[in-house]
Amino acid sequence: MSKIAAERCEDLLLRQFGQGPGAVGSAPGRVNLIGEHTDYNDGFVLPMALERRTGVALCPSPDCRWRFVSEHDDTVVEFSDEEAMQVGRRDWTSYCRGVAAGFRSAGHTVPPLCIAVASDVPLGGGLSSSAALEVSVASAIEGLIGVPIEPVTKALLCQKAEHEFAGVPCGYMDQAISVMGRADHALLIDCRSLEATLVPVSDGSVSVLIVNSMVRHELSGGEYAQRRAQCERAVKDIARVDGAVSSLRDVSLDLLATVRPHVEPIAWRRARHVAGEIARTLKAAVALRAGDYAGFGRLMDESHASLRDDYEVSCKELDLLVEIARCQCGVLGARMTGGGFGGCIVSLVASEHASTAGHAIAASYFAQTGVRPDWFVTRAGDGARTERAAH
Ligand code: GLA
């Protein structure tokens, strides 16, 4: 059997740096079932962790220089201690350096490190490969320094690393689910209070099918930051009419209808997506708990339409995949997942049809685009863990 990422990164550390690991951490990618572009609006999200993980092995550097290697690119990247702790050049090591800098800012002693990375989370596929990397670095550092970090604090530290070192103004969802995911459960996260509640997805009669459009999405591309700014604009316009509103979490669809003349038109449509999506996410959690999978699927379909028409973060490839998926026997609902502009769709399918549906969607997408999409059926996996500690 082929080795898992947490084992491969140990091998890589030994091969490249001739040293065994001081510590190893691993963390999963995620798929968001529903609740898209709501996290940075204080709303609700309902992601689950994937079984696919990233592994990070690290040890103190023998000469105070930071060194990084990944199995995706065998060249070693080196920094002095001072350079490593600055934003500097933005590349994949930014996610690791940002997390290490976060530990130091929180008062922990982290020496310069040699770091080796292996991953089974598809890169740039909208399944949060970057959060999986940040969180596995954090889990390995916890193992090295022998200090466990409280889960919410750990997720916030990793989110900050992404803001500051990768320049992506992401919300709280990806890092939170990568830290706190649990096998056979989705997580309903209230991004205002940061409270997280497990929701079982253990019923074997339904499966989660993920299909990659193979269009690479880059959140640093500016569209994401623009959507955030449009939401802030909507809040500002609405707050002039209703002073109690401090984020789109406070805005119901009824309130939106009454304030329409006072809100800039594009910002109003963005707000309609967010208010509708927050309501859908709460309904979806209720449906999942009740085993109402048809109802859950309908909410997924509505979510996609709203992301496509009001929030405008889909693309023709994602729309095509969603359309093809919905025609397959056993598919209960389908939507784009993650930031958008590429990446994956997620669909809920009757388990007996999941594999046939995956093959059929891939064949039809290939026939229409000439691109062969990756796809897989997944259960909910566990969140991050320290695989090996130094103490
Ligand atoms: C990206 C961000 C998340 C979230 C989603 C959209 O994945 O990292 O914080 O905003 O987009 O729901």
Side-chain angles (χ1 to χ4, degrees), residues 30 32 35-40 170-174 219 224 338-339:
R30 65 98 186 94
N32 190 17
E36 218 64 84
H37 289 277
T38 49
D39 59 353
Y40 53 85
C170 64
Y172 174 68
M173 167 170 70
D174 302 347
L219 287 190
Y224 186 87

Side-chain angles (χ1 to χ4, degrees), residues 28-33 36 47-50 52 121 125-129 131-132 173-175 177-178 210 217 219 337-339:
R30 65 98 186 94
V31 63
N32 190 17
L33 298 177
E36 218 64 84
M48 65 180 220
L50 298 177
R52 296 180 176 217
V121 183
L127 300 176
S128 277
S129 50
M173 167 170 70
D174 302 347
Q175 291 77 11
I177 183 65
S178 187
I210 294 170
H217 87 142
L219 287 190
T337 185

Side-chain angles (χ1 to χ4, degrees), residues 343-361:
C344 294
I345 67 154
V346 57
S347 111
L348 193 71
V349 199
S351 295
E352 54 181 328
H353 296 290
S355 165
T356 318
H359 282 291
I361 296 167

Side-chain angles (χ1 to χ4, degrees), residues 23-90:
V24 179
S26 78
R30 65 98 186 94
V31 63
N32 190 17
L33 298 177
I34 195 161
E36 218 64 84
H37 289 277
T38 49
D39 59 353
Y40 53 85
N41 287 299
D42 283 353
F44 288 89
V45 292
L46 188 62
M48 65 180 220
L50 298 177
E51 293 168 303
R52 296 180 176 217
R53 303 176 76 83
T54 295
V56 165
L58 47 79
C59 61
S61 162
D63 60 2
C64 287
R65 286 187 71 75
W66 288 76
R67 290 193 182 79
F68 300 87
V69 69
S70 133
E71 65 179 358
H72 293 285
D73 170 7
D74 250 7
T75 42
V76 175
V77 186
E78 256 189 75
F79 296 87
S80 69
D81 192 47
E82 199 188 335
E83 282 165 356
M85 294 298 106
Q86 290 165 2
V87 175
R89 180 181 77 228
R90 288 200 161 120

